[in-house]
Amino acid sequence: QVQLQESGPGLVKSSETLSLTCSVSGDSVSDYSWSWIRQPAGKGLEWIGRAHSGGFTNYNPSLKSRATLSVDASKNEFSLRLTSVTAADTAVYYCTKARGGTGHNGWKDNYYGMYVWGHGTTVTVSS
Amino acid sequence: DIQLTQSPSFLSTFVGDRVTVTCRASQGIFNSVAWYQQKPGKAPNLLIYAASAVQGGVPSRFSGSGSGTEFTLTITSLQPEDVAIYYCQQYNEYPLTFGGGTKVEIK
C-alpha cells in the first residue's frame, strides 16, 4: 500500500525559502505524477505544481515562479521549494500521487485523479 | 485558468436523503473532473475520477455524472459518516483547479 509522508520545517520566516519533502513508501516514484496541494486554514484547496520522474514539471502561475518541484528516484521522494514566502503561504501542504491515462480528449497526466494523499504538514510563515 | 463554481456552498439535510452537488466549469473540459471528500482535520480522499468512474473502495451510494461544463456528484442516501466538504477538480489543462467546496451537514 502506497504511503506518502510530508516533512519539513513547521515555521519559516518571511522572505525565506520553504523546503518540503514527500517520502514515498510502498511504490516507486517512477512513472507517476506527483503534486503539491496547499490549504490555508478554513479555506479551499490550491494546486501548487506537479512533477514527473521523467523531468516534466507544471506550475501554478499564481505563485509567480517561486515554486520548484523535483523528483529524486534514488531516494524515492519528491520535493517542493518555495522562495520569498509571506504570511499568505501559511497553510497545510499535501503531497499527492496521480496516474495518467487516456480519456475522451486524449492523454491526461492526472486522469485517474489524485488517489493517494499524504496526511499534510502545517507550515506557518512568521514575520 | 479554468474556474470551477460549486453549488450549493453549504447544505444541511437528513440521513437517508439524496444529495446533489453541482460543479460548473468556465469552459468545456470534456470529462476531466474528479471529486474529493474531505473530513475535518483529514486529507482529501478521491471519490470519483473521469467525471463518473468510482474510485475503488468508495461506497456505491456515491456517483458522478456530467461532461463539458456541468458536473454532478450524487449521494443517493446520506449517511452520518458523509459529513464533510466535497470538492470538484478539473485536470483537463494546467493549472489544475478546484471548486470552492460544498459543506454537507446532517440536520
Side-chain angles (χ1 to χ4, degrees), chain A residues 10-33:
Chain A
L11 188 63
V12 182
K13 291 185 177 178
S14 183
S15 80
E16 295 189 344
T17 296
L18 166 66
S19 293
L20 296 177
T21 297
C22 183
S23 299
V24 180
S25 59
D27 200 356
S28 168
V29 293
S30 299
D31 298 327
Y32 295 103
S33 283

Side-chain angles (χ1 to χ4, degrees), chain B residues 45-59:
Chain B
N45 181 52
L46 176 67
L47 298 175
I48 305 286
Y49 64 91
S52 60
V54 181
Q55 175 69 358
V58 173

Side-chain angles (χ1 to χ4, degrees), chain A residues 8 16 26 29 39 49-50 57 68 70-71 74 76 78 88 98 100 122:
Chain A
E16 295 189 344
V29 293
Q39 185 173 37
R50 162 253 180 188
T57 54
T68 302
S70 60
V71 176
S74 67
N76 217 43
F78 64 106
T122 300

Side-chain angles (χ1 to χ4, degrees), chain B residues 39-70:
Chain B
K39 296 184 178 181
K42 300 292 187 181
N45 181 52
L46 176 67
L47 298 175
I48 305 286
Y49 64 91
S52 60
V54 181
Q55 175 69 358
V58 173
S60 58
R61 62 182 178 274
F62 290 93
S63 65
S65 64
S67 66
T69 61
E70 187 157 331

Side-chain angles (χ1 to χ4, degrees), chain B residues 80-102:
Chain B
E81 59 267 32
D82 300 334
V83 169
I85 300 176
Y86 294 84
Y87 294 95
C88 58
Q89 179 228 337
Q90 68 80 23
Y91 50 84
N92 190 64
E93 64 180 54
Y94 291 108
L96 307 185
T97 49
F98 290 88
T102 295

